[in-house]
Amino acid sequence: MQDSILTNIVTPQYARFDTPLYLKSGAVLDSYELVYETYGELNAARSNAVLICHALSGNHHVAGSYADNPKNLGWWDNMIGPDKPIDTHKFFVVGVNNLGGCHGSTGPASINAKTGKHYGADFPVVTVEDWVETQVRLADYLGIDHFAAVMGGSLGGMQAMRWTLDFPERVRHALVIAAAAKLTAQNIAFNDVARQAIITDQDFHGGDYYSHGVVPRRGLRLARMLGHITYLSDDSMAAKFGRELRNGTYAFGFDVEFEIESYLRYQGDKFADQFDANSYLLMTKALDYFDPAHEHNGDLSAAFRAVTANFLVLSFTSDWRFSPERSRTIIKALLDNELNVSYAEITSSHGHDSFLMEDRHYHQLVRAYMDNIVT
Amino acid sequence: MTATTAPTSPIASRPDFAAIAAWVQSGSKVLDLGCGDGSLLCYLRDTRNVRGYGVEIDDANVLACLNNGVNVIQGDLESGLSSFESGSFDYVILSQTLQAMKHTEGIVREMLRVSREGIVSFPNFGYWKNRLQVVSGHMPVSETLPYQWFDTPNIHLCTLGDFEAFCHQHGVHILERRVMNGDHQITLAPNLLGMLAFYRFERQK
């Protein structure tokens, strides 16, 4: 463990759970595995643990790199590590790949022990509540009674919120970044176009493409291209690509001409090579279903009534997918319940992706908040 | 909205904080509008055991609040206090910010919507040194008005008399007034000798 602090080298670890998991959908998973990584050391009082929840395409590899692949930096390495805003000298950080994912935790691409085949379309739909339940089990497994903080951006922020609702005694602080209390119709619409791109790909085979030896690559690629547009802002795209042409002149055809086309296709290809289409479907559904106010007749303040955690809520000015207005809805519910909460609206041109970017003010805010957490 | 707040000094030497704290009951719930770096809320937390939130627009001040462990909500007072439920606070404080607000009537109305009582402090434009500077042909520049006419955020300066007339016209019932000059309380000719004015008020019943 000490070595990992010094060199930032991490190793994924696996935890197996054989207690049946009753999912919100009514389905039951008899057993499953979660892949996770840890950074820093759990203190003697076991009071310094921080859980990082990932978003749509994230995973357990949040920080550091691997001994056999030093270039593979964790997706939030600019935020988490020794002397970083989430300082692993102080905190014991846990990153976990969510159930249904495709980076090592049990998901649609895993082999179903009952059938000896890939789960494929048989893998049940999972919700944010289900994820939190599995994360609680992982916490038990790691001997963590309560987290000093649960933190996440976007869909990860929704998990952090859900923790405070479902396990108020097990989370002291929630850092909810670029998130929302529920998706808008527009958000769901984007997700459905992405899903339709995958499902209508002729290589999808009703989700059982594994046995056909193919992947619905075109669909997944389109889904990612669409998603990527919504994660950037008009301004950042204009600044980065404008109307730049790859070859300086119009070709009057449908091949890649504009730089933005090239960029999106590259992002789509890269993603299609490393992500499982079924997992993508599941993640987007978890987003769509998230709506804690739903069980309280749409009253988010009522949903937060049992919450005791302290909150840091952050939004980014150019994020139109999860706009600052969406964060202010969360703030209102927290204020109505007289919870300790701070909110900052960070000026950034990077759209929804801002939460992953290195930004001095953003990181100072997180650092300041984390510094005041008693462990 | 805190451009006019005096530079941060050791809290103990802030007689304006003490003046406000004297009106705030122990254990109450407070909203501090334009809370700056959160030092007034820290002071009230430490001396009056209050719970509360600050509202602040400036990035550096929001960060300072987090460093000070104070709840802060980043936002623009000019657009109202819609995040805050009616009647959800014991006191709303507007410390040396009123004179920099565009919508004076709007913010006072909002203060009395979300809170039982409002507390404001502002530099008294009627202070004799200010009057003297105007008479000598210049806009006042002083300890409480440290700006030049061209760079001041203070767009709605007033005197004690002006503020009291405003309250009268807008259904605001003044409960208490305190006028200070440095750490001295002024009782004689306050509109002339007072540098900083404090009012505690409620809705006219």
Side-chain angles (χ1 to χ4, degrees):
Chain A
M1 199 72 79
Q2 195 62 34
D3 282 348
S4 71
I5 294 172
L6 295 175
T7 60
N8 252 353
I9 295 296
V10 284
T11 312
Q13 298 169 79
Y14 291 82
R16 188 180 166 79
F17 301 88
D18 289 314
T19 311
L21 181 69
Y22 295 89
L23 300 167
K24 200 173 178 211
S25 67
V28 184
L29 268 181
D30 290 334
S31 65
Y32 56 94
E33 247 182 5
L34 295 178
V35 60
Y36 66 96
E37 289 177 9
T38 68
Y39 317 85
E41 269 188 282
L42 188 60
N43 63 12
R46 296 171 181 270
S47 61
N48 68 334
V50 173
L51 176 68
I52 306 296
C53 302
H54 69 74
L56 193 60
S57 59
N59 54 45
H60 55 290
H61 185 39
V62 299
S65 63
Y66 298 137
D68 59 353
N69 186 4
K71 283 189 178 157
N72 185 358
L73 273 186
W75 56 270
W76 224 352
D77 190 71
N78 61 28
M79 180 67 85
I80 298 149
D83 300 320
K84 291 182 181 172
I86 311 293
D87 188 350
T88 48
H89 291 309
K90 176 178 178 180
F91 295 106
F92 175 67
V93 176
V94 180
V96 57
N97 183 212
N98 283 341
L99 186 70
C102 54
H103 292 95
S105 290
T106 303
S110 308
I111 301 295
N112 182 349
K114 281 182 188 160
T115 63
K117 292 180 183 163
H118 297 278
Y119 277 98
D122 289 339
F123 198 87
V125 169
V126 286
T127 63
V128 169
E129 289 98 310
D130 298 329
W131 283 337
V132 169
E133 178 63 36
T134 61
Q135 290 160 1
V136 165
R137 291 184 181 189
L138 180 65
D140 290 341
Y141 173 87
L142 294 172
I144 298 166
D145 264 354
H146 73 272
F147 282 103
V150 178
M151 173 180 188
S154 189
L155 177 56
M158 291 172 167
Q159 292 160 62
M161 254 183 284
R162 197 73 235 182
W163 261 90
T164 70
L165 295 163
D166 294 349
F167 298 94
E169 71 289 356
R170 298 192 69 163
V171 51
R172 287 193 284 131
H173 296 267
L175 286 83
V176 176
I177 304 173
K182 63 181 173 194
L183 292 195
T184 61
Q186 189 193 48
N187 288 152
I188 295 170
F190 280 126
N191 281 346
D192 195 48
V193 174
R195 284 191 294 266
Q196 287 300 310
I198 292 168
I199 290 166
T200 58
D201 186 319
Q202 62 183 17
D203 286 336
F204 184 63
H205 296 289
D208 292 320
Y209 44 86
Y210 314 98
S211 57
H212 291 79
V214 292
V215 290
R217 205 167 184 287
R218 279 161 299 183
L220 187 54
R221 182 169 174 267
L222 281 176
R224 184 59 174 180
M225 286 169 76
L226 172 72
H228 211 89
I229 297 168
T230 71
Y231 305 147
L232 302 177
S233 71
D234 193 15
D235 284 349
S236 65
M237 271 170 123
K240 199 166 172 186
F241 307 105
R243 292 179 52 86
E244 287 295 309
L245 293 163
R246 295 196 75 197
N247 297 316
T249 176
Y250 291 166
F252 301 101
F254 300 107
D255 279 341
V256 172
E257 283 191 78
F258 292 94
E259 286 292 352
I260 181 63
E261 295 174 315
S262 164
Y263 173 77
L264 280 180
R265 289 180 200 197
Y266 169 75
Q267 291 293 335
D269 284 336
K270 197 172 79 171
F271 190 72
D273 286 339
Q274 62 192 17
F275 211 85
D276 178 62
N278 280 319
S279 286
Y280 199 81
L281 297 178
L282 289 178
M283 299 287 165
T284 59
K285 273 314 243 192
L287 270 165
D288 291 1
Y289 288 134
F290 183 74
D291 182 10
H294 184 71
E295 306 114 69
H296 299 269
N297 298 316
D299 184 349
L300 190 64
S301 300
F304 275 91
R305 209 138 284 162
V307 172
T308 54
N310 304 315
F311 282 74
L312 177 66
V313 178
L314 302 175
S315 71
F316 299 90
T317 50
S318 59
D319 183 353
W320 56 278
R321 184 107 196 231
F322 289 77
S323 69
E325 195 53 46
R326 318 289 301 150
S327 284
R328 280 196 292 267
T329 306
I330 300 168
I331 294 299
K332 174 82 171 66
L334 298 172
L335 289 171
D336 284 349
N337 286 291
E338 303 195 358
L339 293 163
N340 284 316
V341 51
S342 283
Y343 168 64
E345 203 170 296
I346 298 158
T347 304
S348 165
S349 63
H350 296 291
H352 187 53
D353 266 355
S354 298
F355 84 89
L356 296 167
M357 305 284 178
E358 194 161 348
D359 174 273
R360 191 176 141 83
H361 179 58
Y362 168 36
H363 281 192
Q364 281 177 329
L365 291 168
V366 173
R367 185 186 293 276
Y369 189 83
M370 295 305 289
D371 279 354
N372 276 324
I373 292 181
V374 180
T375 58
Chain B
M1 297 316 305
T2 56
T4 52
T5 305
T8 310
S9 50
I11 285 172
S13 67
R14 292 290 299 260
D16 55 328
F17 285 5
I20 290 169
W23 285 342
V24 172
Q25 280 181 22
S26 182
S28 54
K29 190 178 166 198
V30 168
L31 181 63
D32 182 7
L33 303 177
C35 66
D37 63 6
S39 45
L40 174 60
L41 278 170
C42 283
Y43 184 85
L44 292 173
R45 182 186 62 200
D46 298 345
T47 62
R48 287 287 181 277
N49 192 30
V50 304
R51 302 161 292 132
Y53 306 90
V55 178
E56 177 56 51
I57 194 167
D58 178 70
D59 284 348
N61 278 332
V62 169
L63 175 60
C65 285
L66 287 191
N67 276 315
N68 287 328
V70 164
N71 291 325
V72 61
I73 309 297
Q74 188 162 24
D76 185 0
L77 299 179
E78 301 287 4
S79 53
L81 304 175
S82 58
S83 295
F84 301 98
E85 217 25 73
S86 298
S88 56
F89 289 91
D90 298 311
Y91 306 94
V92 177
I93 300 169
L94 191 63
S95 168
Q96 300 194 51
T97 300
L98 184 72
Q99 76 281 358
M101 293 288 303
K102 209 182 291 176
H103 303 105
T104 314
E105 295 170 83
I107 195 64
V108 171
R109 196 183 318 121
E110 277 289 84
M111 286 174 76
L112 288 178
R113 178 183 66 79
V114 303
S115 176
R116 200 161 51 82
E117 291 184 10
I119 295 173
V120 299
S121 68
F122 58 86
N124 173 27
F125 200 74
Y127 179 51
W128 67 272
K129 283 187 181 173
N130 295 338
R131 298 189 195 199
L132 204 61
Q133 290 188 60
V134 172
V135 168
S136 75
H138 291 286
M139 283 299 284
V141 177
S142 67
E143 188 189 320
T144 51
L145 297 170
Y147 300 95
Q148 296 292 332
W149 67 271
F150 53 84
D151 66 2
T152 182
N154 298 328
I155 53 174
H156 283 145
L157 289 161
C158 67
T159 68
L160 271 63
D162 291 332
F163 183 72
E164 287 168 23
F166 169 89
C167 290
H168 185 71
Q169 287 158 12
H170 290 83
V172 175
H173 176 229
I174 294 170
L175 294 163
E176 245 177 303
R177 182 183 76 184
R178 193 182 177 102
V179 184
M180 307 281 290
N181 193 338
D183 47 9
H184 301 292
Q185 197 174 340
I186 304 294
T187 48
L188 188 72
N191 203 23
L192 190 65
L193 301 180
M195 212 151 73
L196 211 51
F198 300 80
Y199 286 89
R200 184 165 69 87
F201 54 85
E202 63 180 8
R203 240 183 320 258
Q204 191 79 55
K205 284 171 185 154

